[in-house]
Amino acid sequence: MIQLTTAAKLDNAINKARTVKPRIAINKFGSYTVTNKATGATYTVTCEKRDGKRFASCTCVAAERDKACYHVAAAVSAHMQLAAERAALNF
Ligand SMILES: [Zn+2]
């Protein structure tokens, strides 16, 4: 479980996500399947808010060691876009 505080913490992961360009499928709001198109490996990323703090978790080995992986970076960007769209519709 990674706490998402500042974007700076995710910088390296965001850069890697931009290079790898994984495919992101939305399972439901807050749950995403990230696929590395080159290797076919898939990971599930969960984004959630608890007590006003944002957390993300991923099923890969790096995330198990509390490292911000590019799967989380990619899914968080999709999640934020989805959240913004939901907020915009919620008038
Ligand atoms: Zn991961």
Side-chain angles (χ1 to χ4, degrees):
M1 189 76 71
I2 300 153
Q3 188 183 347
L4 304 170
T5 46
T6 60
K9 211 177 168 187
L10 274 176
D11 259 2
N12 288 339
I14 289 167
N15 286 336
K16 182 152 188 203
R18 283 193 184 127
T19 310
V20 176
K21 294 190 180 69
R23 181 170 49 229
I24 302 152
I26 301 163
N27 304 320
K28 61 174 189 192
F29 185 70
S31 173
Y32 308 88
T33 299
V34 180
T35 305
N36 180 322
K37 286 183 266 188
T39 65
T42 62
Y43 305 94
T44 304
V45 176
T46 310
C47 302
E48 60 190 311
K49 218 178 200 180
R50 273 193 229 151
D51 303 326
K53 291 175 187 144
R54 293 175 172 84
F55 294 92
S57 60
C58 178
T59 51
C60 77
V61 179
E64 272 174 21
R65 297 191 198 122
D66 289 334
K67 286 195 177 153
C69 57
Y70 76 90
H71 318 114
V72 162
V76 162
S77 124
H79 181 65
M80 278 164 36
Q81 203 178 324
L82 205 60
E85 282 166 19
R86 274 166 59 123
L89 288 170
N90 193 12
F91 53 82

XYZ file of all heavy atoms in Angstrom:
685
model
N 0.839 -1.198 0.000
C 0.000 0.000 0.000
C 0.875 1.250 0.000
O 1.744 1.396 0.841
C -0.901 -0.019 1.238
C -1.956 1.058 1.249
S -3.347 0.736 0.174
C -4.165 -0.594 1.049
N 0.658 2.098 -0.963
C 1.452 3.314 -1.100
C 0.558 4.504 -0.812
O -0.523 4.613 -1.389
C 2.006 3.434 -2.541
C 2.896 2.227 -2.867
C 2.773 4.732 -2.728
C 2.944 1.905 -4.326
N 0.998 5.364 0.087
C 0.213 6.585 0.298
C 0.625 7.615 -0.741
O 1.813 7.861 -0.958
C 0.418 7.147 1.710
C -0.573 8.293 1.955
C -0.385 8.962 3.304
O 0.303 8.450 4.169
N -1.016 10.106 3.466
N -0.367 8.174 -1.386
C -0.100 9.165 -2.422
C -0.137 10.536 -1.776
O -1.188 11.034 -1.413
C -1.140 9.058 -3.534
C -1.256 7.668 -4.170
C -2.456 7.598 -5.077
C 0.003 7.319 -4.924
N 1.045 11.114 -1.595
C 1.116 12.426 -0.970
C 1.393 13.474 -2.028
O 0.479 14.116 -2.514
C 2.180 12.440 0.145
O 3.364 11.824 -0.347
C 1.682 11.689 1.360
N 2.626 13.595 -2.425
C 2.941 14.579 -3.467
C 3.231 13.867 -4.786
O 3.636 12.711 -4.799
C 4.182 15.418 -3.083
O 5.276 14.515 -2.929
C 3.954 16.192 -1.814
N 3.018 14.591 -5.862
C 3.268 14.022 -7.185
C 4.745 13.712 -7.358
O 5.119 12.795 -8.080
C 2.787 14.970 -8.266
N 5.603 14.468 -6.670
C 7.052 14.291 -6.803
C 7.474 12.863 -6.473
O 8.371 12.303 -7.092
C 7.772 15.267 -5.897
N 6.789 12.275 -5.493
C 7.101 10.919 -5.079
C 6.874 9.922 -6.221
O 7.479 8.868 -6.275
C 6.208 10.562 -3.888
C 6.832 9.611 -2.911
C 5.901 9.391 -1.742
C 6.374 8.236 -0.894
N 5.400 7.897 0.140
N 5.971 10.278 -7.084
C 5.612 9.376 -8.188
C 6.383 9.692 -9.472
O 6.203 9.014 -10.470
C 4.113 9.487 -8.481
C 3.146 8.630 -7.664
C 1.716 8.953 -8.036
C 3.410 7.148 -7.869
N 7.243 10.723 -9.420
C 7.907 11.204 -10.633
C 8.554 10.107 -11.480
O 8.303 10.021 -12.677
C 8.970 12.247 -10.283
C 8.448 13.660 -10.555
O 7.274 13.787 -10.959
O 9.223 14.609 -10.376
N 9.399 9.290 -10.840
C 10.087 8.233 -11.584
C 9.104 7.247 -12.190
O 9.249 6.821 -13.329
C 11.064 7.482 -10.673
C 12.273 8.320 -10.347
O 12.584 9.275 -11.061
N 12.953 7.974 -9.261
N 8.083 6.916 -11.382
C 7.072 5.961 -11.851
C 6.277 6.542 -13.013
O 5.953 5.833 -13.970
C 6.151 5.581 -10.695
N 5.994 7.846 -12.932
C 5.250 8.499 -14.017
C 6.077 8.481 -15.303
O 5.569 8.174 -16.376
C 4.859 9.947 -13.619
C 3.776 9.922 -12.545
C 4.363 10.734 -14.846
C 3.538 11.253 -11.855
N 7.375 8.773 -15.161
C 8.253 8.743 -16.339
C 8.309 7.348 -16.953
O 8.277 7.191 -18.174
C 9.667 9.205 -15.966
C 9.713 10.708 -15.765
O 8.887 11.435 -16.298
N 10.676 11.163 -14.994
N 8.365 6.341 -16.104
C 8.420 4.975 -16.620
C 7.101 4.627 -17.317
O 7.101 3.998 -18.378
C 8.719 3.979 -15.494
C 8.815 2.578 -16.040
C 9.701 1.647 -15.259
C 9.850 0.326 -16.042
N 10.211 -0.802 -15.208
N 5.990 5.056 -16.721
C 4.684 4.792 -17.331
C 4.606 5.423 -18.712
O 4.038 4.848 -19.640
C 3.562 5.308 -16.428
N 5.203 6.612 -18.848
C 5.189 7.299 -20.148
C 6.006 6.537 -21.180
O 5.701 6.568 -22.367
C 5.750 8.715 -19.999
C 4.729 9.629 -19.365
C 5.139 11.098 -19.500
N 4.179 11.932 -18.802
C 4.494 12.849 -17.877
N 5.757 13.062 -17.574
N 3.558 13.552 -17.290
N 7.073 5.865 -20.717
C 7.918 5.091 -21.628
C 7.245 3.773 -21.991
O 7.190 3.379 -23.146
C 9.281 4.796 -20.960
O 9.790 6.029 -20.455
C 10.268 4.225 -21.934
N 6.756 3.085 -20.964
C 6.192 1.744 -21.166
C 4.817 1.812 -21.836
O 4.458 0.937 -22.618
C 6.101 0.985 -19.813
C 5.442 -0.361 -19.983
C 7.483 0.830 -19.200
N 4.065 2.879 -21.534
C 2.702 3.036 -22.062
C 1.853 1.780 -21.876
O 1.447 1.138 -22.863
C 2.732 3.408 -23.551
C 3.333 4.774 -23.834
C 3.085 5.153 -25.297
C 3.652 6.506 -25.644
N 5.129 6.547 -25.648
N 1.603 1.398 -20.643
C 0.814 0.185 -20.416
C -0.661 0.406 -20.780
O -1.108 1.550 -20.858
C 0.951 -0.037 -18.906
C 1.178 1.324 -18.353
C 1.931 2.088 -19.398
N -1.373 -0.676 -21.009
C -2.805 -0.572 -21.255
C -3.521 -0.575 -19.904
O -3.180 -1.351 -19.012
C -3.290 -1.757 -22.108
C -4.790 -1.666 -22.407
C -5.225 -2.685 -23.446
N -4.744 -4.017 -23.125
C -4.119 -4.801 -24.006
N -3.915 -4.400 -25.212
N -3.718 -6.005 -23.652
N -4.490 0.309 -19.766
C -5.233 0.388 -18.508
C -6.696 0.078 -18.771
O -7.342 0.726 -19.588
C -5.108 1.792 -17.883
C -3.633 2.129 -17.649
C -5.877 1.877 -16.569
C -3.351 3.592 -17.701
N -7.197 -0.932 -18.103
C -8.619 -1.264 -18.213
C -9.284 -0.938 -16.885
O -8.723 -1.199 -15.815
C -8.783 -2.737 -18.545
N -10.444 -0.333 -16.967
C -11.176 0.012 -15.744
C -12.054 -1.175 -15.356
O -12.921 -1.588 -16.121
C -12.051 1.269 -15.987
C -11.178 2.455 -16.404
C -12.870 1.601 -14.732
C -11.968 3.587 -17.050
N -11.806 -1.733 -14.183
C -12.681 -2.799 -13.680
C -13.921 -2.172 -13.078
O -15.041 -2.582 -13.332
C -11.954 -3.647 -12.639
C -10.663 -4.224 -13.204
O -10.614 -4.640 -14.352
N -9.620 -4.221 -12.406
N -13.685 -1.190 -12.236
C -14.727 -0.353 -11.656
C -14.023 0.879 -11.119
O -12.780 0.906 -11.091
C -15.493 -1.091 -10.550
C -14.608 -1.501 -9.396
C -15.397 -2.102 -8.268
C -14.468 -2.265 -7.075
N -14.969 -3.054 -6.015
N -14.763 1.861 -10.676
C -14.139 3.062 -10.144
C -13.212 2.679 -8.998
O -13.658 2.107 -8.003
C -15.220 4.050 -9.666
C -14.648 5.367 -9.223
C -14.103 6.249 -10.143
C -14.661 5.712 -7.885
C -13.571 7.470 -9.735
C -14.127 6.928 -7.459
C -13.588 7.798 -8.398
N -11.917 2.949 -9.146
C -10.958 2.632 -8.092
C -10.220 1.316 -8.292
O -9.328 0.997 -7.525
N -10.589 0.561 -9.319
C -9.899 -0.707 -9.573
C -9.549 -0.826 -11.052
O -10.422 -0.725 -11.914
C -10.783 -1.879 -9.138
O -10.182 -3.097 -9.535
N -8.257 -1.029 -11.322
C -7.762 -0.982 -12.691
C -6.845 -2.159 -12.974
O -6.089 -2.573 -12.098
C -7.002 0.340 -12.941
C -7.848 1.522 -12.529
C -7.814 1.995 -11.215
C -8.740 2.091 -13.413
C -8.640 3.025 -10.805
C -9.575 3.126 -13.016
C -9.521 3.584 -11.720
O -10.361 4.586 -11.317
N -6.934 -2.669 -14.181
C -6.006 -3.706 -14.615
C -5.001 -3.064 -15.554
O -5.383 -2.471 -16.559
C -6.749 -4.854 -15.328
O -7.663 -5.438 -14.402
C -5.779 -5.917 -15.809
N -3.729 -3.133 -15.175
C -2.662 -2.525 -15.962
C -1.892 -3.644 -16.661
O -1.425 -4.577 -16.012
C -1.711 -1.704 -15.049
C -0.597 -1.065 -15.870
C -2.498 -0.636 -14.303
N -1.803 -3.558 -17.972
C -1.127 -4.594 -18.760
C 0.106 -4.029 -19.434
O 0.035 -3.001 -20.115
C -2.081 -5.153 -19.842
O -3.266 -5.619 -19.218
C -1.443 -6.300 -20.604
N 1.236 -4.681 -19.210
C 2.455 -4.349 -19.940
C 2.322 -5.005 -21.313
O 2.353 -6.227 -21.432
C 3.673 -4.893 -19.182
C 4.977 -4.575 -19.891
O 5.059 -4.615 -21.112
N 6.001 -4.277 -19.118
N 2.156 -4.174 -22.332
C 1.867 -4.708 -23.663
C 3.032 -5.533 -24.205
O 2.825 -6.451 -24.986
C 1.513 -3.562 -24.624
C 0.115 -3.005 -24.339
C -0.255 -1.925 -25.332
C 0.098 -0.566 -24.786
N -0.403 0.548 -25.595
N 4.256 -5.220 -23.776
C 5.429 -5.941 -24.279
C 5.521 -7.349 -23.700
O 5.839 -8.297 -24.402
C 6.699 -5.162 -23.970
N 5.224 -7.493 -22.415
C 5.385 -8.794 -21.769
C 4.058 -9.522 -21.576
O 4.025 -10.718 -21.328
C 6.039 -8.637 -20.376
O 5.134 -7.910 -19.533
C 7.351 -7.894 -20.460
N 2.955 -8.780 -21.642
C 1.645 -9.385 -21.418
C 1.303 -9.523 -19.939
O 0.242 -10.030 -19.588
N 2.217 -9.081 -19.070
C 1.972 -9.185 -17.627
C 0.867 -8.215 -17.213
O 0.810 -7.088 -17.700
C 3.246 -8.878 -16.861
N -0.016 -8.680 -16.346
C -1.097 -7.816 -15.879
C -1.025 -7.658 -14.359
O -0.622 -8.581 -13.638
C -2.491 -8.364 -16.252
O -2.668 -9.620 -15.608
C -2.667 -8.512 -17.743
N -1.389 -6.482 -13.917
C -1.379 -6.162 -12.493
C -2.675 -5.449 -12.156
O -3.226 -4.735 -12.988
C -0.196 -5.251 -12.158
C 1.124 -5.833 -12.604
C 1.650 -5.498 -13.839
C 1.797 -6.745 -11.811
C 2.841 -6.054 -14.282
C 2.987 -7.309 -12.238
C 3.504 -6.962 -13.468
O 4.669 -7.533 -13.896
N -3.147 -5.650 -10.956
C -4.356 -4.965 -10.528
C -3.971 -3.847 -9.570
O -3.249 -4.079 -8.602
C -5.321 -5.946 -9.835
O -5.574 -7.017 -10.737
C -6.649 -5.260 -9.489
N -4.430 -2.654 -9.877
C -4.154 -1.494 -9.030
C -5.458 -1.023 -8.415
O -6.472 -0.899 -9.099
C -3.509 -0.344 -9.838
C -3.328 0.896 -8.968
C -2.171 -0.785 -10.416
N -5.412 -0.806 -7.112
C -6.580 -0.312 -6.399
C -6.277 1.070 -5.847
O -5.215 1.284 -5.254
C -6.926 -1.272 -5.232
O -6.966 -2.593 -5.747
C -8.276 -0.932 -4.625
N -7.181 2.015 -6.082
C -7.034 3.367 -5.548
C -8.163 3.595 -4.561
O -9.322 3.298 -4.872
C -7.151 4.415 -6.649
S -5.943 4.221 -7.965
N -7.835 4.106 -3.401
C -8.900 4.379 -2.435
C -8.554 5.582 -1.565
O -7.395 5.958 -1.423
C -9.183 3.149 -1.573
C -7.992 2.676 -0.781
C -8.249 1.313 -0.146
O -9.308 1.145 0.476
O -7.382 0.439 -0.271
N -9.586 6.152 -0.992
C -9.440 7.303 -0.113
C -9.867 6.868 1.274
O -10.929 6.266 1.438
C -10.368 8.413 -0.605
C -9.794 9.798 -0.503
C -10.791 10.781 -1.062
C -10.164 12.087 -1.460
N -11.176 13.005 -2.002
N -9.009 7.099 2.263
C -9.340 6.763 3.652
C -8.988 7.949 4.518
O -7.849 8.401 4.500
C -8.495 5.562 4.118
C -9.129 4.251 3.795
C -8.397 3.174 4.566
N -8.038 2.071 3.694
C -6.988 1.292 3.875
N -6.164 1.509 4.867
N -6.740 0.318 3.055
N -9.940 8.421 5.275
C -9.715 9.585 6.143
C -9.112 10.748 5.369
O -8.214 11.437 5.863
C -8.791 9.231 7.330
C -9.342 8.087 8.158
O -10.580 7.996 8.284
O -8.545 7.273 8.670
N -9.557 10.936 4.145
C -9.068 12.049 3.340
C -7.698 11.832 2.731
O -7.179 12.693 2.032
N -7.084 10.676 3.010
C -5.771 10.389 2.429
C -5.939 9.421 1.275
O -6.796 8.544 1.321
C -4.842 9.776 3.474
C -4.448 10.748 4.552
C -3.635 10.033 5.629
C -3.381 10.967 6.792
N -3.419 10.262 8.078
N -5.098 9.591 0.264
C -5.204 8.733 -0.908
C -4.169 7.627 -0.854
O -2.997 7.866 -0.576
C -5.001 9.554 -2.177
C -6.119 10.532 -2.418
C -5.810 11.396 -3.628
N -6.952 12.223 -3.985
C -7.226 13.395 -3.425
N -6.407 13.881 -2.509
N -8.279 14.079 -3.780
N -4.650 6.421 -1.140
C -3.765 5.262 -1.146
C -3.916 4.500 -2.450
O -4.983 4.518 -3.069
C -4.112 4.312 0.004
C -3.868 4.886 1.361
C -4.883 5.548 2.037
C -2.633 4.767 1.969
C -4.661 6.086 3.291
C -2.403 5.306 3.222
C -3.418 5.965 3.891
N -2.858 3.824 -2.825
C -2.940 2.949 -3.988
C -2.171 1.679 -3.673
O -1.193 1.703 -2.925
C -2.351 3.629 -5.216
N -2.657 0.581 -4.208
C -1.899 -0.653 -4.065
C -1.863 -1.361 -5.412
O -2.716 -1.146 -6.262
C -2.501 -1.549 -2.989
O -3.822 -1.884 -3.332
N -0.838 -2.172 -5.585
C -0.644 -2.883 -6.844
C -0.231 -4.297 -6.503
O 0.326 -4.555 -5.428
C 0.439 -2.178 -7.661
S 0.809 -3.018 -9.223
N -0.492 -5.215 -7.411
C -0.176 -6.616 -7.147
C 1.247 -7.002 -7.552
O 1.628 -8.154 -7.444
C -1.185 -7.536 -7.884
O -1.244 -7.137 -9.257
C -2.575 -7.428 -7.269
N 2.058 -6.010 -8.000
C 3.423 -6.353 -8.424
C 4.380 -6.403 -7.231
O 4.045 -5.985 -6.129
C 3.929 -5.373 -9.489
S 4.444 -3.788 -8.826
N 5.575 -6.919 -7.501
C 6.572 -7.119 -6.443
C 7.063 -5.789 -5.865
O 7.251 -5.664 -4.658
C 7.769 -7.931 -6.996
C 8.832 -8.133 -5.924
C 7.286 -9.277 -7.504
N 7.246 -4.789 -6.734
C 7.742 -3.490 -6.271
C 6.788 -2.875 -5.256
O 7.216 -2.360 -4.221
C 7.938 -2.550 -7.458
N 5.501 -2.947 -5.544
C 4.503 -2.353 -4.656
C 4.453 -3.094 -3.320
O 4.200 -2.500 -2.275
C 3.132 -2.360 -5.324
N 4.730 -4.392 -3.360
C 4.770 -5.161 -2.106
C 5.869 -4.639 -1.201
O 5.812 -4.779 0.016
C 5.011 -6.645 -2.405
C 3.720 -7.404 -2.637
C 3.978 -8.840 -3.084
O 5.081 -9.354 -2.837
O 3.057 -9.422 -3.694
N 6.904 -4.040 -1.820
C 8.000 -3.445 -1.044
C 7.749 -1.953 -0.828
O 8.689 -1.203 -0.574
C 9.322 -3.640 -1.785
C 9.699 -5.084 -1.959
C 11.139 -5.174 -2.454
N 11.427 -6.474 -3.035
C 11.849 -6.656 -4.291
N 12.054 -5.616 -5.069
N 12.079 -7.854 -4.751
N 6.497 -1.547 -1.002
C 6.094 -0.150 -0.779
C 6.765 0.824 -1.735
O 6.976 1.982 -1.401
C 6.353 0.277 0.678
C 5.375 -0.394 1.629
O 4.263 -0.740 1.170
O 5.717 -0.580 2.795
N 7.137 0.344 -2.904
C 7.722 1.242 -3.903
C 6.627 1.683 -4.858
O 5.727 0.906 -5.175
C 8.823 0.514 -4.681
C 10.073 0.351 -3.860
C 11.252 -0.034 -4.728
C 12.506 -0.109 -3.881
N 13.504 -1.025 -4.401
N 6.720 2.928 -5.283
C 5.758 3.437 -6.248
C 6.120 2.870 -7.616
O 7.169 3.162 -8.161
C 5.792 4.957 -6.281
N 5.277 2.009 -8.136
C 5.559 1.387 -9.426
C 4.847 2.158 -10.529
O 3.946 2.954 -10.267
C 5.104 -0.073 -9.418
S 3.354 -0.234 -9.033
N 5.239 1.884 -11.768
C 4.625 2.629 -12.866
C 3.181 2.204 -13.096
O 2.405 2.946 -13.678
C 5.470 2.514 -14.141
C 5.376 1.208 -14.877
C 4.423 1.011 -15.863
C 6.244 0.162 -14.581
C 4.333 -0.195 -16.538
C 6.169 -1.036 -15.254
C 5.208 -1.219 -16.232
O 5.132 -2.418 -16.890
N 2.817 1.008 -12.594
C 1.409 0.573 -12.719
C 0.525 1.517 -11.923
O -0.541 1.924 -12.377
C 1.219 -0.855 -12.201
C 2.314 -1.797 -12.609
N 3.183 -2.375 -11.724
C 2.682 -2.208 -13.846
C 4.052 -3.127 -12.386
N 3.777 -3.041 -13.659
N 0.979 1.827 -10.709
C 0.225 2.753 -9.854
C 0.172 4.127 -10.513
O -0.886 4.739 -10.599
C 0.852 2.835 -8.431
C 0.379 4.079 -7.695
C 0.495 1.589 -7.625
N 1.310 4.584 -11.019
C 1.341 5.908 -11.663
C 0.352 5.968 -12.818
O -0.409 6.933 -12.956
C 2.753 6.212 -12.152
N 0.337 4.922 -13.640
C -0.562 4.892 -14.799
C -2.021 4.825 -14.353
O -2.880 5.548 -14.863
C -0.228 3.701 -15.693
N -2.299 3.976 -13.377
C -3.687 3.806 -12.922
C -4.185 5.043 -12.194
O -5.350 5.432 -12.345
C -3.795 2.574 -12.025
N -3.302 5.682 -11.416
C -3.702 6.884 -10.687
C -4.074 7.992 -11.662
O -5.054 8.716 -11.442
C -2.577 7.345 -9.717
C -2.762 8.799 -9.278
C -2.545 6.435 -8.496
N -3.340 8.081 -12.749
C -3.666 9.110 -13.729
C -5.038 8.836 -14.360
O -5.844 9.753 -14.537
C -2.528 9.231 -14.745
O -2.974 9.058 -16.041
N -5.334 7.571 -14.645
C -6.660 7.212 -15.172
C -7.741 7.449 -14.117
O -8.834 7.935 -14.415
C -6.666 5.747 -15.611
N -7.402 7.120 -12.875
C -8.351 7.275 -11.772
C -8.711 8.750 -11.558
O -9.880 9.092 -11.357
C -7.742 6.685 -10.497
C -8.627 6.768 -9.295
N -9.820 6.075 -9.214
C -8.510 7.449 -8.127
C -10.392 6.341 -8.044
N -9.625 7.167 -7.366
N -7.690 9.615 -11.614
C -7.930 11.045 -11.404
C -8.797 11.625 -12.515
O -9.664 12.461 -12.273
C -6.610 11.795 -11.296
C -6.045 11.683 -9.885
S -4.313 12.118 -9.656
C -4.087 13.435 -10.765
N -8.564 11.145 -13.732
C -9.367 11.588 -14.865
C -10.816 11.156 -14.680
O -11.748 11.933 -14.885
C -8.786 10.977 -16.132
C -9.142 11.743 -17.390
C -8.483 11.114 -18.602
O -7.367 10.619 -18.513
N -9.171 11.126 -19.721
N -10.983 9.910 -14.259
C -12.330 9.366 -14.039
C -13.035 10.120 -12.906
O -14.219 10.457 -13.015
C -12.177 7.873 -13.684
C -13.348 6.948 -13.974
C -13.680 6.950 -15.448
C -12.998 5.525 -13.527
N -12.275 10.391 -11.837
C -12.838 11.110 -10.690
C -13.274 12.508 -11.100
O -14.336 12.992 -10.692
C -11.815 11.167 -9.563
N -12.469 13.162 -11.949
C -12.793 14.512 -12.418
C -14.064 14.492 -13.268
O -14.921 15.361 -13.159
C -11.621 15.095 -13.200
N -14.180 13.457 -14.108
C -15.367 13.324 -14.947
C -16.601 13.074 -14.103
O -17.665 13.637 -14.353
C -15.195 12.178 -15.953
C -14.311 12.576 -17.130
C -13.851 11.374 -17.953
O -14.475 10.309 -17.860
O -12.868 11.527 -18.682
N -16.454 12.233 -13.090
C -17.593 11.960 -12.191
C -18.000 13.227 -11.460
O -19.182 13.512 -11.311
C -17.207 10.884 -11.169
C -17.429 9.493 -11.700
C -16.743 8.440 -10.858
N -17.201 8.451 -9.477
C -17.736 7.393 -8.873
N -17.922 6.279 -9.531
N -18.080 7.462 -7.607
N -17.000 13.993 -10.978
C -17.294 15.233 -10.255
C -17.985 16.229 -11.174
O -18.918 16.934 -10.753
C -15.988 15.815 -9.700
N -17.565 16.279 -12.423
C -18.147 17.221 -13.378
C -19.608 16.873 -13.669
O -20.423 17.757 -13.906
C -17.332 17.214 -14.666
N -19.922 15.575 -13.621
C -21.287 15.138 -13.900
C -22.200 15.300 -12.696
O -23.421 15.274 -12.819
C -21.289 13.662 -14.330
C -20.720 13.367 -15.714
C -20.559 11.880 -15.901
C -21.621 13.937 -16.802
N -21.574 15.455 -11.544
C -22.317 15.477 -10.286
C -22.748 16.893 -9.930
O -22.354 17.439 -8.919
C -21.413 14.873 -9.199
C -22.203 14.556 -7.944
O -23.431 14.576 -7.946
N -21.472 14.260 -6.884
N -23.567 17.511 -10.772
C -23.965 18.898 -10.519
C -25.341 18.950 -9.960
O -25.888 18.778 -9.127
C -23.952 19.718 -11.814
C -24.726 19.138 -12.937
C -26.111 19.313 -13.040
C -24.103 18.370 -13.904
C -26.805 18.747 -14.101
C -24.798 17.814 -14.957
C -26.156 17.990 -15.068
Zn 2.873 -2.330 -9.756
